[in-house]
Amino acid sequence: MDIKQLKFLIALDKTRHFGKAAELCHVTQPTLSMRLRALEDELNLVLVARGQRFEGFTEAGERVLAWARTLMTAYDGLQAEAANCRGQLVGNLRLGMVPLASLNPMELVKPLAQRYPELSFELLSMSSEQIIDGLSRNQLDLGLCYLDHINIDLFEVIELTSTGMGLLYDVRYFQFDQPELTWESLNDLPLGMLTRGMHYRQSIAFNFRSRGLDPHPVLESNSTFQLVQAVSAGICCAVMPLQSGMEALQNDLRLIPISDARTAAPMGILMRRTEPRSALAEKCFEEARSIFAPADA
């Protein structure tokens, strides 16, 4: 057994396709299949259900896959630790973040990329629950999520300052003369929103309901990108965090503040407290603490 076989197994789980897994690992499909069969022979187990195409993992395969992830995390941590001892920071920072976070992730990624050019980044849009699970399973290094259901005994937290909300609109289709809007002025606008049940949508709904308002969105999506597309097409406006950087995506987009508009729960950057915890995660967390020191004070 070697580390490449474990990488192949994890790639197959990620892509659910032999050809795509091989492409991801920069090998041919026959090579990937041969090495996975060699792993099965060594363990005397069938790990992968095969037919004309990939059909999933067997029960034994799922259990071995969980161990493979743990071993790969330890391997990556060892490599990062060795680099750290050499005064370097290398590897892949896995950052899970909720949609429409009140923080532009580039505020963290850009200074890290400039300071550590050998560092790569994987940004994943997830719910707070998925982020907590990913951190707990060591499948994420850092998380950016809401803190209302966080057990602080399990995670180190950089709490961010409360961020207000604004209305994102396209100047080709909408015009607002006032420097700040009220929730009442939004009630009759065509609005695009995240789908029901998502945390940010719940904050918006609370702000409307507390004022006796009941807007009916013309478009709902679980994708921030699609909301921005709808705004750019003139279909709607959308309530966005003020520090999200959305208005910088296109020249015609503007973000105007909404008075007395806050998310229902605070947000923070999280790292698990328990081992195994990579030097990469620890260093990037400390860098984040220095970048957002005013928020953590």
Side-chain angles (χ1 to χ4, degrees), residues 128-129 146 148-149 195 197-204 264-265:
S128 291
E129 292 76 14
Y146 297 100
D148 47 348
H149 299 300
T195 50
M198 300 183 76
H199 206 299
Y200 191 79
R201 170 68 181 271
Q202 292 173 358
S203 292
I204 295 173

Side-chain angles (χ1 to χ4, degrees), residues 71 96-97 99 106 115 124-125 155 231 233 243 248 255 286-287 293:
L71 290 170
M97 56 182 299
M106 296 308 115
R115 198 166 302 165
L124 303 167
S125 180
F155 301 98
V231 171
Q243 273 71 44
L255 189 59
E286 288 308 311
E287 292 285 349

Side-chain angles (χ1 to χ4, degrees), residues 224-268:
T224 302
F225 176 71
Q226 289 177 347
L227 284 181
V228 175
Q229 281 185 311
V231 171
S232 297
I235 296 171
C236 59
C237 304
V239 179
M240 297 286 186
L242 288 180
Q243 273 71 44
S244 63
M246 293 290 176
E247 71 277 19
L249 296 177
Q250 294 185 23
N251 292 333
D252 295 315
L253 295 181
R254 302 289 186 275
L255 189 59
I256 184 170
I258 303 169
S259 60
D260 194 22
R262 302 282 173 180
T263 53
M267 185 169 287

Side-chain angles (χ1 to χ4, degrees), residues 8 27 36 40 46 49 51 58 90 106 134 138 148 157 162 168-169 177 180 182 203 206 210 214 226 246 250 257 264:
F8 294 165
V27 297
L36 289 179
E40 290 178 318
V46 177
T58 63
V90 300
M106 296 308 115
N138 219 0
D148 47 348
V157 179
S162 178
L168 185 72
Y169 67 98
D177 296 328
E180 191 172 73
T182 64
S203 292
F206 172 79
S210 65
D214 184 25
Q226 289 177 347
M246 293 290 176
Q250 294 185 23

Side-chain angles (χ1 to χ4, degrees), residues 131-158:
I131 290 170
I132 296 306
D133 183 63
L135 290 169
S136 300
R137 294 173 181 269
N138 219 0
Q139 296 173 355
L140 293 173
D141 298 302
L142 302 180
L144 174 62
C145 65
Y146 297 100
L147 302 178
D148 47 348
H149 299 300
I150 301 300
N151 184 346
I152 59 173
D153 293 332
L154 301 178
F155 301 98
E156 294 193 37
V157 179
I158 303 170

Side-chain angles (χ1 to χ4, degrees), residues 89-225:
L89 190 62
V90 300
N92 182 51
L93 179 68
R94 302 164 300 172
L95 173 62
M97 56 182 299
V98 293
L100 295 185
S102 56
L103 167 71
N104 183 347
M106 296 308 115
E107 293 181 27
L108 175 61
V109 172
K110 184 176 179 179
L112 286 174
Q114 291 174 336
R115 198 166 302 165
Y116 306 106
E118 294 181 325
L119 196 61
S120 61
F121 303 88
E122 184 176 1
L123 304 184
L124 303 167
S125 180
M126 312 169 78
S127 67
S128 291
E129 292 76 14
Q130 290 172 325
I131 290 170
I132 296 306
D133 183 63
L135 290 169
S136 300
R137 294 173 181 269
N138 219 0
Q139 296 173 355
L140 293 173
D141 298 302
L142 302 180
L144 174 62
C145 65
Y146 297 100
L147 302 178
D148 47 348
H149 299 300
I150 301 300
N151 184 346
I152 59 173
D153 293 332
L154 301 178
F155 301 98
E156 294 193 37
V157 179
I158 303 170
E159 186 166 348
L160 303 172
T161 54
S162 178
T163 302
M165 301 175 177
L167 185 74
L168 185 72
Y169 67 98
D170 191 306
V171 296
R172 294 172 297 177
Y173 307 104
F174 297 92
Q175 293 292 330
F176 300 96
D177 296 328
Q178 55 271 58
E180 191 172 73
L181 299 174
T182 64
W183 286 102
E184 287 78 6
S185 66
L186 271 57
N187 195 53
D188 295 325
L189 288 175
L191 294 175
M193 295 187 186
L194 290 177
T195 50
R196 297 177 188 275
M198 300 183 76
H199 206 299
Y200 191 79
R201 170 68 181 271
Q202 292 173 358
S203 292
I204 295 173
F206 172 79
N207 277 285
F208 276 118
R209 283 199 310 270
S210 65
R211 294 165 175 81
L213 304 172
D214 184 25
H216 299 283
V218 298
L219 182 143
E220 295 177 290
S221 175
N222 63 356
S223 166
T224 302
F225 176 71

Side-chain angles (χ1 to χ4, degrees), residues 2-18 20-22 24-25 32 36 39 47-48 54 57 61-76 94 122 137-139:
D2 62 44
I3 204 72
K4 284 188 177 180
Q5 289 170 304
L6 302 183
K7 288 183 178 180
F8 294 165
L9 196 67
I10 293 170
L12 185 58
D13 176 53
K14 185 175 182 178
T15 62
R16 318 299 288 185
H17 188 279
F18 286 105
K20 292 179 181 178
L24 184 64
C25 295
L32 181 133
L36 289 179
L39 179 62
L47 305 178
V48 181
F54 174 77
F57 291 95
E62 292 286 357
R63 296 174 68 173
V64 170
L65 181 63
W67 277 102
R69 292 195 191 100
T70 300
L71 290 170
M72 282 304 306
T73 298
Y75 175 79
D76 291 341
R94 302 164 300 172
E122 184 176 1
R137 294 173 181 269
N138 219 0
Q139 296 173 355

